[in-house]
Amino acid sequence: MSRVDYYDIEPLLTPEERLVRDTVRQFVDREVLPIIGDCFERAEFPKQLIPRLAELGLLGMDLEGYGCAGLNYTSYGLACQELERGDSGLRSFVSVQTSLCMYPIRTFGSEEQRQKYLPKMATGELIGCFGLTEPDHGSDPSGMETRAVRDGDSWVINGAKRWITNGGVCGLAVVWAKTDEGVRGFVVERGARGFEVRDIHHKLSLRASVTSELIFQDCRVPAASLLPGTKGLRAVLMCLNDARFGIVWGAVGAATSCFETALEYTKTRTQFEKPLAAFQLTQEKLVNMLTEITKAQLLAYRLGRLKDAGQAKPGQVSMAKMNNVRIALEAARTARGMLGANGISLEYPVFRHMCNLESVYTYEGTNEVHTLIIGQDITGIAAFA
Ligand code: TGC
Ligand code: FAD
C-alpha cells in the first residue's frame, strides 16, 4: 500500500496497481525529492518534470483512448498518493490536468475537441487549467459573474477567475461561465484575444505550483469552444468529484511523509540521554498519527474500489476528502513540533507539507463545504445558506 501499511492493505492491491504505485514511488524518490525543497523555496514549479510525468502515463491516466493509459481509479489514487508524498504541488498539477481538464473534455467535449486536445495533453505538450473560482465567488460558484454571450459564430466571454492552478503554464483553460442557458464550460486556448493570465505571487503554500488569475475582456472564441455536454453546475461538480478523489489519496501521501520523518527523527535524536522516541508523550503522538493515517488509507482504498465499480457517491468522496486532508494537516503540524527547531527547516519535508496542506484544506471544497455536503446527505436539509 503505502510504505506505512499497519493494516496490511498491500495484498488487496492487484499486481498492476502495485506496479503503478512502485513506479511513481521510485520517480518521486529519485527525481522529485532531491529538487522539490529548492523549488518550494524559489517558488518555482518544476516544469522539467512534465515530460517525465507524461512518459510515466500519469496525465489522464484514468481515461480511455486518445493516448491515455486507461488505468483504474485505484491506480490513479495510488499515483496521487506517491506524487503528494513528494509535494502537493506536483499532485495538484496532475489532478488539474487529468481530472479538471482532460476529464471534462473527454466527458463533455465533442469528438473533434477530444481529438484536438487529449493526445497532446497526455504527452504534456499541452497543459490545461480549470477556471471556476472568481475573486468574489469561491465556495458558492453558483454566484459566478463570468458571462459568455453567443454572437454569431462566436462566444464572447467577460469576467475573471482567481486562484487558478497551472494558469501561468497553460495552453488552454477550461472556463466556466454563465450563459442564457445556465452555466456552461468552454475551452479557451492561450493566445485567444482578450484572454490574459497573471500569476499570483507571495504565496506561503503550494509554492512549487503555479497559481494565477485569468482575465477575460471581450474574449471572442469560436462557437466550437463550447463543451457541448455541459449544462448547469452538475458538470462542474462531476469534475470536482474526480479531482477530490485524487486528493483523498494524495493527503495520505503527505501525511505518510510527515509520519515517517517524525518516526526516523525521534528514533535517532537524543535528549535527556534518551532517544526522543523513548518518551511516552512522543510515542502517543506517533501512535495517534499512525492510527489516523491507517483510517485514512482504509477510506481511500474503499473509495477506490467503489469508484472502480461506478458506485462512489459524492457524499462518500466528500467524507474522505474532508477527513484525509484534516488528518494530514494535523499530522504535519504534530510532526513539525516533534522535530523541534529542525521542524521549520526545508531540510525536512514537514513544514513544506504543512504549508501546502493549508491550501489543500481550502481548495476543491473547504473543510466546511464538505461538512455541509455530508450534512445535507444525511439530513436531507441543505445548510449552505
Ligand atoms: P446543487 O444545487 O447542490 O447541485 C447542482 C447540480 O449538481 C448535482 N450535484 C452533483 N453532481 C455530481 N457530483 C456532485 N458532487 C454533485 N453535487 C451536486 C446536483 O444533483 C444538481 O444536479 P441537477 O441536475 O439537479 O442540476 O449545487 P449548489 O450550487 O447548491 O452546490 C453546492 C456546493 C456548495 C456543494 C458546491 O457549490 C460546491 O461543491 N462548492 C465548492 C466549490 C469548489 O469545490 N470549488 C473548487 C474549485 S477547483 C479547485 O479548487 C482546484 S484546486 C487544484 C487541485 O485540484 O489540485
Ligand atoms: P470562501 O468561499 O470565501 O470561504 C471562506 C471561509 O468561509 C472558508 O473557511 C469557508 O469554509 C467558509 N464558508 C464559506 N461558505 C460557508 C458556509 N456556507 N458555511 C460555513 N462556512 C462557510 N479554484 C479553481 O477554480 N481552479 C483552481 O485550479 C484552483 N486552484 C487553487 C489553488 C490554490 C493554491 C488555492 C489556495 C485555491 C485554488 N482554487 C482554485 C480556489 C479554491 O477552490 C477556493 O479557494 C475554495 O473553493 C474556497 O473559496 P474561497 O477561497 O473564495 O473561500
Side-chain angles (χ1 to χ4, degrees):
M1 180 65 180
S2 122
R3 288 187 295 203
V4 176
D5 185 15
Y6 204 70
Y7 254 60
D8 211 11
I9 300 173
E10 181 80 9
L12 304 178
L13 301 177
T14 66
E16 188 180 52
E17 289 163 351
R18 282 183 229 167
L19 180 64
V20 170
R21 191 263 328 265
D22 292 344
T23 306
V24 183
R25 179 176 289 174
Q26 198 176 68
F27 161 71
V28 168
D29 285 342
R30 289 188 185 165
E31 298 177 55
V32 177
L33 294 182
I35 62 164
I36 200 68
D38 283 347
C39 294
F40 186 95
E41 189 159 27
R42 292 199 306 267
E44 277 174 18
F45 171 68
K47 271 196 222 166
Q48 69 276 20
L49 295 179
I50 297 175
R52 290 289 293 130
L53 293 168
E55 268 167 41
L56 292 168
L58 300 180
L59 306 180
M61 66 183 285
D62 57 346
L63 301 176
E64 291 283 350
Y66 308 95
C68 302
L71 293 167
N72 70 359
Y73 288 110
T74 301
S75 296
Y76 178 38
L78 287 161
C80 287
Q81 170 188 284
E82 293 307 314
L83 291 171
E84 197 148 358
R85 187 173 60 77
D87 192 87
S88 301
L90 199 59
R91 196 270 310 135
S92 258
F93 176 85
V94 170
S95 291
V96 170
Q97 180 82 346
T98 300
S99 295
L100 296 183
C101 294
M102 296 176 76
Y103 168 80
I105 292 171
R106 177 79 175 83
T107 309
F108 308 116
S110 65
E111 190 51 36
E112 199 185 340
Q113 289 169 326
R114 292 175 186 170
Q115 299 279 2
K116 182 174 181 191
Y117 298 121
L118 292 177
K120 283 190 183 163
M121 295 182 84
T123 57
E125 288 166 76
L126 188 58
I127 303 306
C129 71
F130 179 87
L132 176 66
T133 305
E134 300 188 352
D136 294 329
H137 306 278
S139 296
D140 182 12
S142 70
M144 73 175 66
E145 292 169 53
T146 301
R147 290 278 307 172
V149 177
R150 184 73 191 249
D151 182 25
D153 282 346
S154 321
W155 286 92
V156 180
I157 306 176
N158 276 289
K161 301 289 177 179
R162 189 162 166 79
W163 297 110
I164 306 306
T165 303
N166 294 355
V169 292
C170 83
L172 66 80
V174 172
V175 180
W176 301 92
K178 274 193 182 149
T179 72
D180 288 344
E181 301 165 325
V183 172
R184 309 212 59 184
F186 297 84
V187 179
V188 180
E189 294 183 10
R190 188 79 176 265
R193 196 131 56 96
F195 173 29
E196 193 192 332
V197 178
R198 290 186 204 147
D199 286 347
I200 297 173
H201 300 289
H202 310 300
K203 287 182 298 166
L204 297 175
S205 172
L206 280 182
R207 288 175 59 78
S209 167
V210 177
T211 317
S212 315
E213 190 167 13
L214 314 181
I215 297 135
F216 302 93
Q217 267 182 326
D218 291 327
C219 175
R220 188 174 285 273
V221 293
S225 305
L226 174 74
L227 288 168
T230 57
K231 207 161 191 193
L233 272 185
R234 172 181 278 276
V236 173
L237 290 161
M238 285 170 68
C239 300
L240 296 181
N241 276 340
D242 222 59
R244 289 165 179 173
F245 173 79
I247 293 175
V248 166
W249 290 80
V252 170
T256 302
S257 168
C258 294
F259 172 76
E260 287 182 327
T261 306
L263 180 61
E264 176 65 20
Y265 189 87
T266 55
K267 277 164 72 177
T268 49
R269 179 167 172 86
T270 56
Q271 288 294 296
F272 301 97
E273 296 169 12
K274 285 203 292 197
L276 294 174
F279 300 117
Q280 290 182 1
L281 289 175
T282 304
Q283 291 197 2
E284 186 187 35
K285 290 187 180 83
L286 289 168
V287 169
N288 286 344
M289 281 163 87
L290 177 60
T291 307
E292 291 307 321
I293 288 170
T294 302
K295 291 192 279 187
Q297 287 173 331
L298 290 166
L299 271 185
Y301 172 77
R302 178 66 186 145
L303 189 66
R305 289 291 177 247
L306 285 171
K307 198 160 164 67
D308 280 327
Q311 289 170 2
K313 298 191 194 99
Q316 292 169 327
V317 177
S318 282
M319 183 180 281
K321 193 277 182 181
M322 178 190 72
N323 179 77
N324 288 12
V325 177
R326 210 186 257 174
I327 73 95
L329 186 53
E330 197 52 44
R333 287 173 178 160
T334 304
R336 208 254 13 104
M338 293 168 80
L339 268 66
N342 280 321
I344 69 147
S345 167
L346 270 174
E347 295 290 315
Y348 294 86
V350 169
F351 202 82
R352 180 168 51 80
H353 282 308
M354 190 185 85
C355 292
N356 286 340
L357 287 163
E358 291 290 349
S359 286
V360 185
Y361 190 75
T362 289
Y363 69 33
E364 289 286 0
T366 65
N367 178 66
E368 289 75 13
V369 162
H370 288 294
T371 306
L372 294 173
I373 291 172
I374 304 163
Q376 179 179 16
D377 199 30
I378 60 178
T379 64
I381 305 166
F384 298 102

